């Protein structure tokens, strides 16, 4: 098998530069051109100002639309200490999003705080619940949030059942241990059922940060498929400094698209525009780790984002979402929901707005 795998990889590596430099020859269209704006309402409440490429004050939603964005994503935490990203705040922001004409993706973390590959802590209210109880929790909470959104006329177009659930969610009950996907599968099924009971047309995404390799992606999605988990869209995170080359991204997208027969979306990506830091909170990504030898500048950020979109498009994906492009250096909109005023922003060099709130004039989301 090794010679054939090497041959396939060589073909992709040779083809990738053509895909990156010739979007007019794209094999597919990115119908979902997205942005995660979960921090935006807090920023606005703190008095943040946003400016278009000409430097004129403008509504951040309108700026994103002018850049090609048509789909917005909101995370929902069960009971965050910050009072933001909870059900009430999501309902509020969803009204604005839908009124502006965007589609809406709801990202269920099933936690009071960040859930990602390294931590999947259940909400405090669920901490001592058994697996069977958690199955009911997932169903009831998903259905409650979805139906509340539907009742106010902002039915979600898609939901994620979990956020970057590489090895499960709601640990330890829903963690994948010794390749046993049954506990996690039981939770994912209940989330799917709740979403479809709320609105049959809402897509269910299963989201991992497994864009790094075919092996990891297959391990996870084969595992849940073998347990009979239904889903509508395969969603991946891709950060080049963690997940490898664009050629590798092409391979993974093409493989999961073919293997599972479902649309593929890059649910998260981003690139720094500077190596500097706006506050006392260290940047999550320093900007010194170049991808494709692209510098951390406004032009560099736009170039990398364009290349990710082109790679995704040519591999057959249907969407790319930029993670938190509006989370610029706003004092008081901190990283830690348990200390939102006292912590800084670890993403201030990754937003597509600079520290004064002016949008990167070079960044575009393209079909």
């Amino acid at each position: 098998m090794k010679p054939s795998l090497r041959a396939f990889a060589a073909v992709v590596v040779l083809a990738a530069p053509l895909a990156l430099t010739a979007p007019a020859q794209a094999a597919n269209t990115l119908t979902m051109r997205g942005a995660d704006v979960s921090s935006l309402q807090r920023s606005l409440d703190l008095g943040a100002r946003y400016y278009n490429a000409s430097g004129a004050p403008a509504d951040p939603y309108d700026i994103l639309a002018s850049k090609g964005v048509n789909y917005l994503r909101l995370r929902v935490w069960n009971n965050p200490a910050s009072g933001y990203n909870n059900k009430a705040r999501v309902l509020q922001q969803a009204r604005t999003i839908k009124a502006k004409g965007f589609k809406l993706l709801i990202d269920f973390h099933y936690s009071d705080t960040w859930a990602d590959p390294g931590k999947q802590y259940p909400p405090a209210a669920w901490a001592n619940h058994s697996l069977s109880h958690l199955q009911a929790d997932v169903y009831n909470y998903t259905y409650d949030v979805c139906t509340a959104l539907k009742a106010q006329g902002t039915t979600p177009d898609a939901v994620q059942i979990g956020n970057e659930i590489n090895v499960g969610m709601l640990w330890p009950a829903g963690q994948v241990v010794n390749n046993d996907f049954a506990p996690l599968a039981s939770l994912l099924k209940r989330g799917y059922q709740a979403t479809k009971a709320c609105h049959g047309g809402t897509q269910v995404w299963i989201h991992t940060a497994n864009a790094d390799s075919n092996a990891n992606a297959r391990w996870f999605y084969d595992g849940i498929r073998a347990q009979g988990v239904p889903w509508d869209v395969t969603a991946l995170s891709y950060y080049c400094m963690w997940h490898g080359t664009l050629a590798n991204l092409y391979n993974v997208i093409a493989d999961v698209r073919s293997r599972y027969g479902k649309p593929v979306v890059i649910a998260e990506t981003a690139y720094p525009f500077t190596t500097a830091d706006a506050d006392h909170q260290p940047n999550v990504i320093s900007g010194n780790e170049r991808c494709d030898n692209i510098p951390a500048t406004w032009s560099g950020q736009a170039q990398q984002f364009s290349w990710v979109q082109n790679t995704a498009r040519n591999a057959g994906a249907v969407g790319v979402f930029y993670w938190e492009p509006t989370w610029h250096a706003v004092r008081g909109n901190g990283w830690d929901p348990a200390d939102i005023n006292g912590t800084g922003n670890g993403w201030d060099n990754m937003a597509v707005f600079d520290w004064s709130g002016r949008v990167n004039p070079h960044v575009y989301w393209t079909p």
Side-chain angles (χ1 to χ4, degrees):
M1 292 298 291
K2 287 184 179 180
S4 63
L5 287 174
R6 282 200 300 268
F8 176 68
V11 169
V12 172
V13 169
L14 289 172
L18 297 177
L20 299 178
T21 57
Q25 303 300 316
N28 194 49
T29 298
L30 297 179
T31 58
M32 301 178 188
R33 301 179 299 279
D36 189 309
V37 292
S38 298
S39 69
L40 179 53
Q41 190 57 54
R42 170 74 175 178
S43 295
L44 291 170
D45 290 348
L46 289 167
R49 303 291 297 275
Y50 291 85
Y51 303 87
N52 63 24
S54 300
D59 184 297
Y61 293 103
D62 294 340
I63 296 172
L64 290 175
S66 74
K67 290 289 191 173
V69 174
N70 66 358
Y71 221 124
L72 296 179
R73 179 197 199 213
L74 296 177
R75 63 179 167 268
V76 58
W77 289 329
N78 289 47
N79 188 26
S82 66
Y84 280 81
N85 303 121
N86 59 15
K87 175 186 169 183
R89 294 287 186 175
V90 165
L91 288 170
Q92 174 192 4
Q93 198 169 351
R95 290 192 291 271
T96 301
I97 286 170
K98 286 288 191 172
K100 290 286 187 179
F102 296 101
K103 290 192 173 182
L104 175 63
L105 166 63
I106 298 297
D107 176 13
F108 285 95
H109 282 229
Y110 302 112
S111 181
D112 295 332
T113 187
W114 302 102
D116 55 45
K119 54 186 180 300
Q120 295 280 337
Y121 306 130
W126 302 0
N128 298 316
H129 291 185
S130 65
L131 178 62
S132 61
H133 198 162
L134 288 171
Q135 292 165 12
D137 291 331
V138 168
Y139 185 97
N140 292 335
Y141 184 71
T142 306
Y143 184 80
D144 176 61
V145 173
C146 183
T147 54
L149 286 163
K150 181 180 177 181
Q152 68 171 15
T154 60
T155 303
D157 298 281
V159 303
Q160 290 179 211
I161 307 302
N163 184 75
E164 294 187 331
I165 54 172
N166 292 29
V167 289
M169 64 186 197
L170 292 168
W171 294 352
Q175 189 169 9
V176 180
V177 179
N178 296 326
N179 299 314
D180 181 8
F181 281 85
L184 172 62
S186 70
L187 299 169
L188 296 178
K189 289 175 183 177
R190 295 300 279 159
Y192 182 93
Q193 291 161 2
T195 301
K196 298 302 183 179
C198 168
H199 181 66
T202 297
Q203 292 180 330
V204 173
W205 298 14
I206 302 297
H207 173 214
T208 67
N210 279 333
D212 59 325
S213 71
N214 284 342
N216 287 339
R218 288 181 178 187
W219 175 80
F220 180 88
Y221 291 102
D222 279 5
I224 63 170
R225 182 174 65 175
Q227 291 291 329
V229 173
W231 76 96
D232 302 318
V233 173
T234 303
L236 304 167
S237 292
Y238 174 72
Y239 296 98
C240 56
M241 58 290 300
W242 298 326
H243 297 127
T245 65
L246 290 167
N248 182 68
L249 175 64
Y250 182 104
N251 286 347
V252 175
I253 292 172
D255 186 71
V256 297
R257 177 172 174 262
S258 172
R259 191 174 184 86
Y260 307 109
K262 303 178 189 301
V264 179
V265 171
I266 301 303
E268 294 184 21
T269 194
Y271 199 73
F273 70 85
T274 181
T275 59
D277 188 2
D279 58 25
H280 63 278
Q281 184 79 28
N283 291 334
V284 175
I285 296 170
S286 70
N288 293 307
E289 305 161 357
R290 292 188 177 190
C291 297
D292 306 297
N293 202 33
I294 296 174
T297 62
W298 261 9
S299 295
Q301 181 185 65
Q303 181 180 4
Q304 179 66 23
F305 184 49
S306 177
W307 284 13
V308 170
Q309 291 179 85
N310 292 343
T311 301
R313 179 188 299 111
N314 291 328
V318 298
V320 174
F321 282 63
Y322 198 102
W323 195 75
E324 288 281 14
T326 59
W327 198 2
H328 71 80
V330 182
R331 187 175 182 86
N333 195 358
W335 186 258
D336 183 358
D339 185 17
I340 195 169
N341 294 305
T343 53
N345 178 358
W347 210 247
D348 54 54
N349 68 327
M350 301 290 286
V352 302
F353 292 81
D354 69 13
W355 300 342
S356 69
R358 184 185 175 195
V359 72
N360 184 337
H362 310 296
V363 166
Y364 289 93
W365 286 252
T366 56

